[in-house]
Amino acid sequence: MTAWLSNVTFDCADAARLAGFWSEVLGRPLATAPAPSEDFASIGTLGHAAEDAPRWLFVKVPEARPPTKNRMHVDLAAADREAEVARLVALGATRLADQEMYGLRWTVMQDPEGNE
């Protein structure tokens, strides 16, 4: 037996707002049960052990995000990186830097709550 990625969970200040942003980014709808709220929202169906894509959970926490670099992050891919970066900025993301290392190129961005 092996484990699988079930959820990607974000601690946040406003669950519905951040989940709405990521729903648009990923082109995946918000789950409707339970209904998205400031306290909790999700992308993907709760209660299903293994879907084609992991659920993304957004949970309101009282403390602010620490002002340090994230130790874990999600990497997204797109056929046209520049066009996708422009789309994400229009949705509320912030472009931080363009990087190239190990033969790879990427753009570091932050979501509306500052997660890289």
Side-chain angles (χ1 to χ4, degrees):
M1 185 182 305
T2 60
W4 62 88
L5 181 58
S6 176
N7 304 315
V8 174
T9 303
F10 287 78
D11 290 348
C12 55
D14 185 333
R17 183 174 141 265
L18 195 58
F21 168 82
W22 281 105
S23 172
E24 290 294 323
V25 168
L26 300 171
R28 293 179 64 195
L30 290 173
T32 57
S37 71
E38 182 180 326
D39 296 321
F40 179 83
S42 69
I43 298 170
T45 307
L46 296 177
H48 291 267
E51 296 178 330
D52 289 341
R55 290 177 299 246
W56 287 47
L57 306 181
F58 301 85
V59 181
K60 182 177 183 175
V61 296
E63 63 275 0
R65 183 187 166 283
T68 58
K69 183 179 182 331
N70 294 12
R71 298 292 293 182
M72 184 184 161
H73 56 269
V74 295
D75 291 338
L76 306 175
D80 183 339
R81 185 168 52 93
E82 284 303 320
E84 187 62 8
V85 166
R87 184 179 81 88
L88 299 181
V89 168
L91 290 173
T94 302
R95 183 180 198 152
L96 297 180
D98 293 309
Q99 302 288 334
E100 187 169 349
M101 192 180 302
Y102 311 115
L104 302 170
R105 293 183 62 206
W106 67 93
T107 301
V108 179
M109 303 187 75
Q110 288 180 330
D111 71 15
E113 289 204 5
N115 299 299
E116 288 184 12

